[in-house]
């Protein structure tokens, strides 16, 4: 069972645990637990992805309860009308609070990246 953070007639937001796939994927054909199916079974209603979080990432995952709402929200994400904020928990300490506004170093995925060429 996943923690539902928010739900209304159009949306549901859940707390996605690290290690869970959002939906079935060729990245792991043997996986049997997915956020979409778990939420669907939990609320008794089909859900539609609006965005995703990588498997190792935990956080708030927003899903639509209709394809129309999913389409509208996906457009807002694509057009950067929605602001996402990521918080990282790291080992170590800093002397002062800081905002880091640059991409993290890219780390290649040993499964997915063998299907894509960098160039």
């Amino acid at each position: 069972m996943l923690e539902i953070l928010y739900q209304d007639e159009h949306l549901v937001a859940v707390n996605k645990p690290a290690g869970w796939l959002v939906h079935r994927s060729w990245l792991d054909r043997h996986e049997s637990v997915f956020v979409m199916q778990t939420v669907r079974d939990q609320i008794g209603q089909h859900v539609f992805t609006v965005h995703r979080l990588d498997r190792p990432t935990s956080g708030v995952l927003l899903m639509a309860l209709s394809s129309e709402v999913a389409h509208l929200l996906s457009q807002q994400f694509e057009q950067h009308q929605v602001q996402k904020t990521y918080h990282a928990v790291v080992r170590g300490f800093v002397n002062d609070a800081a905002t880091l506004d640059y991409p993290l170093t890219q780390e290649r995925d040993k499964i997915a990246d063998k299907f894509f060429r960098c160039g």
Side-chain angles (χ1 to χ4, degrees), residues 19-78:
W20 282 48
L21 288 170
V22 173
H23 50 74
R24 293 185 189 279
S25 170
W26 53 268
L27 291 174
D28 189 344
R29 296 189 193 280
H30 303 293
E31 184 59 66
S32 61
V33 178
F34 306 94
V35 174
M36 284 185 66
Q37 285 81 6
T38 302
V39 173
R40 178 200 63 207
D41 294 346
Q42 199 169 323
I43 67 172
Q45 183 175 352
H46 191 73
V47 294
F48 300 81
T49 57
V50 175
H51 68 103
R52 67 175 181 82
L53 294 172
D54 291 338
R55 184 180 207 168
T57 305
S58 63
V60 177
L61 185 66
L62 185 64
M63 290 175 278
L65 300 178
S66 71
S67 59
E68 296 82 14
V69 170
H71 179 71
L72 293 171
L73 285 172
S74 293
Q75 284 181 322
Q76 290 179 344
F77 274 95
E78 289 170 13

